[in-house]
Amino acid sequence: MTGIRAGVQRGDYIILCNSSNTCRYQVEDIDYYSEPPDMWIALLQEVDFE
C-alpha cells in the first residue's frame, strides 16, 4: 500500500472500508520516500478484529 501521512510505523493498524466490508491490516514493513517526506509504501498483513 502507498499512502501520505507522517508518523505511520511498523505495527500500526490500518482500517480499509468499502460499502459492504471492513478489513483491518497491520503494517509489517514501511519505507518513507525522500520526496515528499510524508509519503510511504508499506507491506500490510490482514488481521482479524479483536
Side-chain angles (χ1 to χ4, degrees), residues 2-7 30-41:
T2 301
I4 297 177
R5 180 178 182 156
I30 188 164
D31 288 312
Y32 277 87
Y33 289 88
S34 59
E35 197 56 45
D38 60 347
M39 187 172 192
W40 47 264
I41 186 166

Side-chain angles (χ1 to χ4, degrees), residues 3-22:
I4 297 177
R5 180 178 182 156
V8 178
Q9 301 175 31
R10 186 175 184 197
D12 286 353
Y13 293 98
I14 295 175
I15 308 278
L16 299 178
C17 305
N18 63 31
S19 60
S20 62
N21 196 19
T22 300

